[in-house]
Amino acid sequence: MAGTDGQGEGRWERRPGDRPAELMEAALRVFAGRGYRSARLDEVAAAAGVTKGTLYHYFANKEELLRRALEHYQDRAFGRVADALHAAPEGAPAAERIRVALHGLFEGSDPLRAEVLLVLQAAAHEVPEVYREWLRRGPVKGWRLVARLIAEGQEAGELRRDVDGEVAARVCVTGLMVQLMWQRHSPELPAMRIGRERLVEGAVETLLGALRSR
């Protein structure tokens, strides 16, 4: 379904393959600024420079738009991690691959990171099914990836076998996620403030220190 709003639709006609991604990114910004419940689809359309009809061409309703926007963000994040692991030297030690994975998950510069964190604060209560899907595709997938890398290191004799790798992965991934989410409160609560690089590297070193073979 094409729109008729002149300049905005001309932009889409030049880049039809970018439509869904840019619509989803505009939605995350609007949902973060206005709040998911208060935001209207015509506000998302205006932010993206299209008509509301264009939104309905790709998304059935606001909830589907949010769900797919979060999936888009997560796919992009895990895509970066996969690329980083693929680029690691062949035969790299498990500890190095764990470091690459965690830095890729938490230290990459994504312009939508702050918006996503704001949206998630409300999504847990306002759209719990979408939030549960985000948990499955994000935190659960993240700690399973790290747990798999830990298991590979244990099998190779590089990491201690007496450590529960799944628990270690859960604690590390969830701890980093919560700490980074809490950074939005640091202007009012300076005690919350900590640099992202310091936080991620410190968490990685703590995890690897517990996992390295004696």
Side-chain angles (χ1 to χ4, degrees):
M1 181 184 301
T4 59
D5 60 335
Q7 183 178 356
E9 289 304 314
R11 177 164 64 92
W12 288 124
E13 288 168 6
R14 290 194 298 273
R15 298 180 303 171
D18 293 340
R19 286 184 182 179
E22 293 199 19
L23 291 174
M24 290 184 286
E25 291 169 13
L28 287 173
R29 293 188 176 95
V30 172
F31 293 158
R34 294 274 293 138
Y36 172 76
R37 184 171 292 169
S38 300
R40 303 191 310 273
L41 285 182
D42 54 359
E43 293 174 314
V44 175
V50 302
T51 64
K52 190 159 66 171
T54 300
L55 282 178
Y56 281 116
H57 179 72
Y58 293 99
F59 311 100
N61 50 47
K62 188 167 73 169
E63 183 173 317
E64 184 191 356
L65 175 56
L66 173 62
R67 176 179 57 79
R68 288 181 54 190
L70 292 174
E71 290 176 359
H72 167 69
Y73 176 83
Q74 290 171 315
D75 289 345
R76 189 164 61 184
F78 281 103
R80 288 194 301 267
V81 174
D83 290 343
L85 287 172
H86 182 72
E90 185 175 354
E96 180 59 27
R97 286 180 284 135
I98 292 168
R99 184 186 303 279
V100 166
L102 286 169
H103 276 279
L105 284 172
F106 292 105
E107 205 178 309
S109 57
D110 194 303
L112 288 174
R113 188 189 302 274
E115 284 81 357
V116 169
L117 295 178
L118 282 172
V119 170
L120 289 170
Q121 300 280 331
H125 306 289
E126 296 177 354
V127 275
E129 291 185 5
V130 173
Y131 188 77
R132 285 193 293 271
E133 182 65 12
W134 171 81
L135 288 174
R136 184 184 68 81
R137 291 175 56 90
V140 173
K141 185 176 179 179
W143 72 53
R144 283 180 174 171
L145 167 63
V146 175
R148 176 175 60 79
L149 295 174
I150 292 173
E152 290 174 0
Q154 290 171 327
E155 287 297 316
E158 299 174 23
L159 303 177
R160 290 171 52 188
R161 294 174 181 264
D162 60 335
V163 172
D164 189 323
E166 181 181 349
V167 171
R170 282 175 178 249
V171 170
C172 186
V173 170
T174 307
L176 278 169
M177 186 170 297
V178 172
Q179 282 288 327
L180 291 171
M181 291 178 72
W182 283 348
Q183 291 308 299
R184 65 180 293 259
H185 300 291
S186 60
E188 299 80 26
L189 295 170
M192 290 282 188
R193 188 177 300 122
I194 187 170
R196 178 183 298 275
E197 183 178 351
R198 176 189 171 194
L199 179 65
V200 176
E201 181 60 22
V204 170
E205 278 303 313
T206 299
L207 174 65
L208 294 179
L211 289 171
R212 288 190 178 99
S213 296
R214 299 173 188 172

